[in-house]
Amino acid sequence: MPEVSLQLFFSYSQKDGALRDELANHLSTLTRQGVRTQAITIQKQAAQLSHE
């Protein structure tokens, strides 16, 4: 079976931390199945979001 690799970048607000944790849980399932995963996360603070 060929090696499978997944690289994921996502940015989230502090209020969405629970959703980030849920995504991390799903990624760990893929890792257990042999898929190499790398997640790059950026957490935006409320002050940053108000300026966008």
Side-chain angles (χ1 to χ4, degrees), residues 12-49:
Y12 66 99
S13 141
Q14 187 175 14
K15 68 179 181 177
D16 295 327
L19 292 172
R20 192 222 74 84
D21 293 343
E22 187 176 335
L23 178 59
N25 185 39
H26 288 291
L27 290 175
S28 68
T29 300
L30 289 173
T31 301
R32 286 192 301 273
Q33 293 175 353
V35 176
R36 293 176 54 194
T37 60
Q38 177 184 9
I40 302 166
T41 63
I42 303 293
Q43 180 180 358
K44 291 196 172 187
Q45 300 298 323
Q48 290 175 314
L49 292 175

